[in-house]
Amino acid sequence: MVQQVTPETTIEVIYPESDGQPMADNTEQFTWIVKIKENLEILFASQADVFIAGDLFWYPVKGSPNIKQTPDTMVVFGRPKGKRGSYLQWNEDNIPPQVVFEILSPGNTLKEMAKKLQFYQRYGVEEYYIYDPAKNDLNGLLRSGDSFEVIEEMNGWVSPRLGICFTLTPETLEIVSSTGQKFLSPVEIDQLREQERQRAERECQAKEAALEELEKERDRYQELLAKLKEKGIDTDNL
C-alpha cells in the first residue's frame, strides 16, 4: 500500500496594525508628537529614501508578532517614503529605525519606559530621545557598540543623523534644523505662511503703485511736449 503524505499547512502569521490604544494620553503629548514628526517630514521632504512615521507598529522579527514597539516618532534612513500599515523590518531590507523619539505623559510608567529602552537597544536604534513636556526635561541616548550611552549634555546637542539642534529654554524645548529652520506647530507654520502671503501681497501692491505713478509721469511728460509743440517750440532739440 502506498502511503500518502499530507502537505504541511502553512499558518499565516498576523501582524496587527493597531492595539486599540490612543496615540497620546493628553493634548500636550499629542502636540509634541505631531510637531516633531511633521517637521521631520518637512526637513527630509526632498530625500526619497527617508521614511518617517508616528505611532506605527515596528516588528523587527519575522514570525514573532509579539515582538513589537510603537515609537511616537521614528526615522528610517535608506527606506522609501510611502504608506505602511506597520513597519515589517524583514520587508524593509532589514533596516531598523535609526532614530526614535518618545514623548512622555503621566501615564508612562518606569517599567514601560525601561522595556522600550531595552527594545530599542536590542534592535538597532542609534539615537533615542525622550522628552517630558510637563517637566521640560530632555534625555538622549546614543548607540555605542551593542548598547546605549547617555548623552550627558542635551542642551545644544546636535543629532548626528538628523543634524537638528536641541535647546532647552526655561519654558520649553526648541529644535532647529541645520539650515536654521525652527520646528513649529502646524498653527505656527500656517501663521508664518499667512504672514508671507501678506508680505508678498504688500510688495505686489507697492510695485503696482510704482508702475501706476510711472505711467502718470510719462503721461504728464507727453502732455508737456504736446503743449510746447503747440507753441512752436522745437522739442527735438531740448
Side-chain angles (χ1 to χ4, degrees), residues 63-102:
S64 300
N66 291 327
I67 300 177
K68 65 182 183 296
Q69 197 52 260
T70 317
D72 286 336
T73 300
M74 65 181 187
V75 184
V76 191
F77 290 86
R79 296 307 302 153
K81 301 182 189 303
K83 297 179 180 179
R84 290 167 175 80
S86 59
Y87 190 80
L88 307 176
Q89 187 172 313
W90 56 92
N91 289 337
E92 306 283 356
D93 286 347
N94 206 35
I95 299 176
Q98 293 96 348
V99 185
V100 163
F101 290 84
E102 292 287 355

Side-chain angles (χ1 to χ4, degrees), residues 66-151:
N66 291 327
I67 300 177
K68 65 182 183 296
Q69 197 52 260
T70 317
D72 286 336
T73 300
M74 65 181 187
V75 184
V76 191
F77 290 86
R79 296 307 302 153
K81 301 182 189 303
K83 297 179 180 179
R84 290 167 175 80
S86 59
Y87 190 80
L88 307 176
Q89 187 172 313
W90 56 92
N91 289 337
E92 306 283 356
D93 286 347
N94 206 35
I95 299 176
Q98 293 96 348
V99 185
V100 163
F101 290 84
E102 292 287 355
I103 308 300
L104 297 186
S105 73
N108 292 123
T109 64
L110 184 61
K111 181 179 179 180
E112 175 191 0
M113 297 311 297
K115 285 184 176 180
K116 287 186 175 184
L117 190 152
Q118 291 173 351
F119 182 97
Y120 297 145
Q121 181 173 262
R122 179 175 182 179
Y123 291 108
V125 171
E126 297 176 12
E127 301 176 39
Y128 178 27
Y129 300 105
I130 309 152
Y131 180 57
D132 184 346
K135 298 180 180 178
N136 190 29
D137 183 49
L138 176 67
N139 290 280
L141 298 106
L142 191 65
R143 177 165 294 278
S144 177
D146 294 329
S147 61
F148 280 140
E149 287 188 357
V150 173
I151 301 169

Side-chain angles (χ1 to χ4, degrees), residues 35-47:
K35 177 186 284 190
I36 291 174
K37 189 265 183 184
E38 291 304 313
N39 279 271
L40 287 173
E41 291 273 22
I42 293 170
L43 182 60
F44 292 102
S46 63
Q47 295 183 227

Side-chain angles (χ1 to χ4, degrees), residues 179-205:
T179 60
Q181 181 179 348
K182 184 179 177 181
F183 279 29
L184 301 172
S185 70
V187 171
E188 290 170 327
I189 291 173
D190 185 68
Q191 289 173 342
L192 282 180
R193 185 184 297 114
E194 177 61 20
Q195 290 173 9
E196 177 60 24
R197 186 195 66 78
Q198 292 179 0
R199 184 195 64 78
E201 184 176 332
R202 288 194 298 269
E203 285 187 357
C204 183
Q205 291 173 346

